[in-house]
Amino acid sequence: GENVEQHPSTLSVQEGDSAVIKCTYSDSASNYFPWYKQELGKGPQLIIDIRSNVGEKKDQRIAVTLNKTAKHFSLHITETQPEDSAVYLCAASMFYFGTGTSLTVIP
Amino acid sequence: NAGVTQTPKFRILKIGQSMTLQCTQDMNHNYMYWYRQDPGMGLKLIYYSVGAGITDKGEVPNGYNVSRSTTEDFPLRLELAAPSQTSVYFCASHITTNTGELFFGEGSRLTVL
């Protein structure tokens, strides 16, 4: 089966700085890569996703890049704000999730 | 719309007891999933369903059973609870295409003592 690895497990940034979270996957047939934000005590919510026919996608302060050759994809958050503090989960399809990154934005 | 509703939110079980986690969605989604989330381990897929009457195993199905008699409901059954089943369980659904946004419930925290 697929194996999704996510790094780092924790990340602290100053407000206004950028944050980058990286995930790698093992199955070259995977073609859908969503990112979810999970606040404490809540279920995950989709923030952005990318399909394998696209290299980059942006939505305001959030962007995702995909390198199919290297089998990795990354989440980029610019101009971070305290409300960005949460756990971020990457996934390959609906079936395989990364282990999560706990992001803390320090005011 | 309520979205995806899970009950109960919290439950403590004794070893060997059985229980059912309920999941209902009102979005007419064909696809439904059950995941468990352990600290530092992300989400692991237990079972999923692509429509009423159809279920399939995910990555960690042992110790669990599911049924899908209607589009709306996807209950998860724990038989003979074990401490290893202590976890937070999430139900999710999405529309009919193979890819797309998963809508999650608020989770059910289960402790087996």
Side-chain angles (χ1 to χ4, degrees), chain A residues 17-88:
Chain A
D17 287 349
S18 295
V20 180
I21 303 169
K22 298 181 179 180
C23 287
T24 61
Y25 60 99
S26 60
D27 187 352
S28 56
S30 292
N31 58 12
Y32 176 66
F33 306 94
W35 285 91
Y36 287 84
K37 178 182 181 182
Q38 185 177 20
E39 297 179 343
L40 194 62
K42 302 284 189 182
Q45 281 194 303
L46 181 74
I47 54 171
I48 196 167
D49 58 11
I50 192 167
R51 288 167 172 77
S52 59
N53 59 345
V54 175
E56 183 176 3
K57 184 177 179 180
K58 289 183 180 179
D59 183 4
Q60 300 183 335
R61 297 186 296 108
I62 294 173
V64 56
T65 59
L66 172 64
N67 183 326
K68 288 188 293 181
T69 303
K71 288 189 273 188
H72 67 71
F73 55 110
S74 299
L75 178 71
H76 305 254
I77 305 174
T78 59
E79 301 172 16
T80 53
Q81 301 167 3
E83 51 265 37
D84 294 329
S85 296
V87 172
Y88 290 81

